[in-house]
Amino acid sequence: MARYDVIVIGSGPGGYVCAIRCAQLGLKTAVVEGRETLGGTCLNVGCIPSKALLHATHMLHEAEHNFAEMGLKGKSPSVDWKQMLAYKEKTIGQNTSGIEFLFKKNKIDWLKGWGSIPAPGKVTVGDETHEAKNIVIASGSEATSLPGVEIDEKVVVTSTGALELGKVPKTMVVIGAGVIGLELGSVYARLGSQVTVVEYLDHVTPGMDAEVSRTFQKLLKKQGLEFILSAAVQKVEATKTKAKVTYAPRDGGDAVVIDADTVLVATGRKPYTDGLNLDTLGVEITERGQIKTDARYATNVPGIYAIGDCIAGPMLAHKAEDEGMACAEGLAGQSPHVNYGVIPGVIYTHPEVANVGETEETLKAAGRAYKTGKFSFMGNGRAKANFAADGFVKILADQTTDRILGAHIIGPMAGDLIHEICVAMEFGAAAEDVARTCHAHPTYSEAVREAALACGDGPIHS
Ligand code: NAI
């Protein structure tokens, strides 16, 4: 049995990135993973498969709505659901086998099975116990449900079941207008399902800039999604083929029942730490079930670290990756740092939605003086040519210093455009720095520059 410098439990974006960085820094590393393939939730049943379905259904939407006007005539494509799922599976396979290749390349051992920590310095996988100087828990998260709602992953599904439905449902109720509900809701709306989203709050996408949230809801409504806001789902009764969803309007009034072929429960996720033996070890856990860590990702038990969805902070793959790298670098004696003020968030619908840093709401609440530079994609030539002129870029900058405090984009490729602002923020840039940077024409990125110009003397194309 090998003695390792580091054993990482979990091979999602947090765990596998941590392991690769550990190996690159000369640490003898193993990863424990019980799934058949590496990559965790993100690669197997999350980010990657959902993006395959979002891409395929966006192509369908383009064919149905914009091809004819571009002079692309002929029969619109019909949906072969089995083939679409096969394409999704192939995409997953390419990515998970890519991680396996990287493990071999970096001489990382894959300990196959579910891990447990009998004592600090020891990890049990099946009948074997392995020794490690340090253990990194990267066990991720799992979907939560609501009282009165039983998940069967056939009719009442989480995101996992929604990625492999037997057929495209005629009607779908989505509980929760968060990231998962809106991404998968828009996939099925494009495939022809009648999608109704029931949300407890009076707006979609909690925590997002309010103006973006309103615009986003309006655009999704135009795509056929129905919204019932300020409504608390009380129960879901399901048979083998159908379900009844009961919700109560929050402002009072009678409960309402809606029928659906499929119910997607997308009301959040919680840390997954089952079977790790954390209670016996005395690892401190918050009341929200998150493992408590310090700035170096150390738990209160020496030699045990934790990163990603099972600790505090947004449940995002890229946040977990950054923590994985920083944790590895710390174990190798370096002094890493993750800047939690500059972690972008992206919703991969069409249009995409992306944000980083402060919102107008957080700035107002903090009493900070700020200015807003906004530019609509209607003024962007490339967006108009590509039928992608819905949305805008909004940059928030300090009223006095012009330093960029946050940015919010709804529009084409928003998830890529946001990174220009992330880099600017990491360098402490002013909006004027972005405004004075030459941007290629014609690109969507020009809209970011115009929003930066709008923080100063004004944009050119509006
Ligand atoms: P979420 O926390 O984003 O949204 C859940 C929504 O459900 C909230 O709006 C909440 O008000 C609503 N809700 C809760 N109880 C309800 C009830 N009884 N009736 C009606 N509505 C109710 O959670 P979501 O979408 O499940 O995502 C989970 C996690 O996964 C999030 O942390 C998200 O950031 C992450 N994720 C990120 C993705 C991305 O970055 N593109 C993609 C998918 C997931």
Side-chain angles (χ1 to χ4, degrees):
M1 189 193 318
R3 188 175 150 74
Y4 294 98
D5 292 313
V6 184
I7 293 181
V8 182
I9 300 179
S11 72
Y16 85 71
V17 168
C18 180
I20 291 172
R21 192 49 130 207
C22 284
Q24 286 171 336
L25 296 172
L27 301 173
K28 186 167 173 50
T29 306
V31 173
V32 185
E33 176 55 65
R35 272 182 207 268
E36 306 258 307
T37 48
L38 298 171
T41 300
C42 175
L43 274 70
N44 288 282
V45 288
C47 331
I48 296 298
S50 61
K51 257 78 272 172
L53 295 185
L54 280 157
H55 177 65
T57 56
H58 176 56
M59 294 292 108
L60 175 68
H61 182 271
E62 288 293 276
E64 286 172 345
H65 294 86
N66 298 327
F67 273 18
E69 194 176 335
M70 287 189 270
L72 300 170
K73 302 247 164 129
K75 219 168 128 228
S76 275
S78 60
V79 175
D80 178 343
W81 180 235
K82 272 209 174 111
Q83 177 55 33
M84 199 179 284
L85 292 182
Y87 149 68
K88 177 208 72 174
E89 287 301 320
K90 188 175 165 198
T91 311
I92 295 171
Q94 284 166 337
N95 282 275
T96 56
S97 57
I99 307 299
E100 217 173 320
F101 163 79
L102 290 173
F103 275 18
K104 284 189 187 129
K105 183 180 160 199
N106 287 285
K107 302 193 172 39
I108 295 165
D109 290 342
W110 174 4
L111 308 174
K112 292 187 185 177
W114 301 102
S116 186
I117 310 172
K122 291 191 193 311
V123 175
T124 305
V125 185
D127 300 336
E128 292 197 336
T129 300
H130 304 266
E131 293 192 358
K133 279 187 217 148
N134 297 294
I135 297 165
V136 180
I137 301 169
S139 51
S141 60
E142 61 179 343
T144 58
S145 187
L146 299 169
V149 181
E150 207 167 303
I151 308 284
D152 58 26
E153 294 295 10
K154 295 257 178 308
V155 173
V156 184
V157 298
T158 65
S159 51
T160 303
L163 292 167
E164 48 188 21
L165 293 178
K167 59 179 186 199
V168 175
K170 282 206 173 67
T171 52
M172 174 181 260
V173 168
V174 175
I175 309 176
V179 186
I180 292 181
L182 298 184
E183 283 188 1
L184 289 173
S186 77
V187 162
Y188 284 99
R190 289 175 201 161
L191 288 168
S193 306
Q194 176 54 56
V195 176
T196 307
V197 183
V198 185
E199 165 59 47
Y200 182 75
L201 301 173
D202 63 0
H203 59 275
V204 304
T205 53
M208 185 183 282
D209 178 273
E211 194 180 6
V212 173
S213 167
R214 279 194 301 273
T215 307
F216 188 34
Q217 190 194 340
K218 224 184 283 165
L219 292 173
L220 290 176
K221 213 165 164 227
K222 243 170 60 185
Q223 292 172 24
L225 282 88
E226 292 283 333
F227 289 91
I228 299 169
L229 301 179
S230 304
V233 169
Q234 294 176 321
K235 62 176 176 184
V236 175
E237 294 157 292
T239 66
K240 277 194 175 135
T241 51
K242 287 220 170 289
K244 284 186 184 304
V245 179
T246 307
Y247 71 84
R250 261 177 53 197
D251 304 332
D254 295 338
V256 180
V257 179
I258 14 179
D259 292 319
D261 296 328
T262 303
V263 178
L264 167 60
V265 182
T267 50
R269 296 180 65 85
K270 61 176 183 205
Y272 177 75
T273 54
D274 290 0
L276 292 175
N277 196 36
L278 300 186
D279 273 1
T280 317
L281 291 165
V283 172
E284 269 188 76
I285 305 279
T286 68
E287 57 197 21
R288 302 178 66 188
Q290 297 158 329
I291 300 173
K292 263 194 193 171
T293 57
D294 66 12
R296 285 296 192 87
Y297 309 103
T299 69
N300 61 312
V301 178
I304 300 183
Y305 297 77
I307 56 167
D309 281 10
C310 64
I311 71 169
M315 289 185 172
L316 297 171
H318 43 282
K319 173 260 192 189
E321 288 182 33
D322 279 21
E323 289 176 345
M325 265 199 281
C327 183
E329 288 162 5
L331 292 175
Q334 300 182 1
S335 303
H337 171 69
V338 174
N339 181 359
Y340 287 94
V342 186
I343 293 187
V346 180
I347 308 180
Y348 299 88
T349 42
H350 194 85
E352 287 186 352
V353 182
N355 61 77
V356 64
E358 305 286 349
T359 62
E360 292 205 54
E361 291 71 33
T362 57
L363 289 171
K364 277 178 197 148
R368 289 184 72 175
Y370 67 94
K371 53 188 169 174
T372 304
K374 197 175 148 193
F375 186 78
S376 163
F377 280 100
M378 287 304 281
N380 179 276
R382 183 75 179 276
K384 275 195 289 215
N386 292 2
F387 297 95
D390 283 330
F392 57 84
V393 180
K394 176 156 88 173
I395 293 177
L396 307 173
D398 187 277
Q399 180 67 52
T400 315
T401 65
D402 195 36
R403 186 178 175 145
I404 299 175
L405 304 173
H408 305 273
I409 309 178
I410 177 164
M413 305 295 284
D416 288 273
L417 297 181
I418 197 74
H419 294 97
E420 173 175 359
I421 299 297
C422 295
V423 174
M425 286 176 73
E426 282 290 353
F427 281 82
E432 189 180 345
D433 293 318
V434 174
R436 290 195 182 277
T437 303
C438 183
H439 285 61
H441 177 75
T443 59
Y444 297 138
S445 294
E446 288 175 287
V448 176
R449 183 200 199 173
E450 294 266 23
L453 279 164
C455 288
D457 294 335
I460 303 298
H461 296 91
S462 76

